[in-house]
């Protein structure tokens, strides 16, 4: 079993992205409403989506990131990832990752982000042996704040003016959870 396995919940199937997923992802990744407060911009073409899929797969092969497409009723509705996996830094053992997710607008407010993230966190703490998972969201992103709270993360910092997007500086709110605090 690895971080690239298919995961299942009561309502969802989570699986690693494949190159033939470009047409399922393109409508979401080109939608400007999804990445409004996220670290990426809408994809201008399918080639951008294919390059993203290739980058996600490369990170998975390198063990620096694991990514799962979120499917409800066999339809791709989002993506949940463990990114920036850091096992060590010099003499320190870290075993940590950052949780990241997006859910398509027409599938939001149905608990999918929370449900999918719980499955990914279980894989991270169990299969991948992570000690800590962090998550950050733009302070203005109330939907992501609610997911962090539902998942049981502990807020630990607000990074002021953390990033510039669309001509405005945004604060980031950071949370974390230790493996010993995770309650499936």
């Amino acid at each position: 079993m690895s971080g690239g396995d298919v995961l299942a919940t009561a309502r969802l199937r989570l699986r690693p992205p494949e190159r033939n997923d470009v047409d399922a992802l393109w409508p979401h990744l080109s939608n400007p409403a999804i990445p409004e407060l996220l670290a990426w911009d809408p994809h201008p073409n399918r080639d951008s989506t294919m390059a993203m899929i290739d980058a996600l797969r490369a990170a998975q092969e390198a063990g620096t990131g694991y990514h799962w497409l979120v499917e409800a009723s066999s339809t791709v509705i989002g993506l949940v990832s463990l990114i920036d996996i850091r096992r060590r830094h010099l003499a320190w053992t870290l075993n940590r990752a950052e949780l990241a997710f997006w859910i398509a607008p027409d599938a939001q407010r149905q608990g999918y982000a929370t449900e999918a993230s719980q499955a990914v966190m279980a894989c991270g703490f169990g299969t991948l042996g992570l000690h800590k998972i962090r998550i950050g969201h733009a302070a203005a992103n109330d939907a992501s704040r609610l997911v962090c709270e539902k998942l049981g993360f502990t807020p630990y910092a607000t990074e002021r003016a953390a990033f510039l997007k669309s001509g405005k500086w945004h604060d980031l709110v950071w949370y974390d959870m230790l493996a010993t605090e995770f309650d499936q």
Side-chain angles (χ1 to χ4, degrees), residues 2 19 28-29 83 116 127 151 184:
S2 72
R19 292 193 101 230
H28 302 306
L29 297 176
I83 60 173
T127 303
L151 290 169
Q184 299 187 56

Side-chain angles (χ1 to χ4, degrees), residues 4-71:
D5 288 343
V6 173
L7 306 175
T9 70
R11 302 181 297 161
L12 304 172
R13 180 174 181 256
L14 288 79
R15 62 175 179 79
E18 299 290 337
R19 292 193 101 230
N20 62 1
D21 289 316
V22 68
D23 290 330
L25 284 168
W26 161 251
H28 302 306
L29 297 176
S30 62
N31 179 349
I34 293 176
E36 183 180 354
L37 291 172
L38 302 180
W40 48 279
D41 287 321
H43 289 197
N45 52 51
R46 281 180 169 74
D47 289 342
S48 298
T49 300
M50 185 62 76
M52 183 210 76
I53 292 170
D54 289 342
L56 297 180
R57 292 169 50 85
Q60 200 140 309
E61 289 173 16
T64 59
Y66 293 95
H67 313 276
W68 292 267
L69 295 182
V70 180
E71 295 179 334

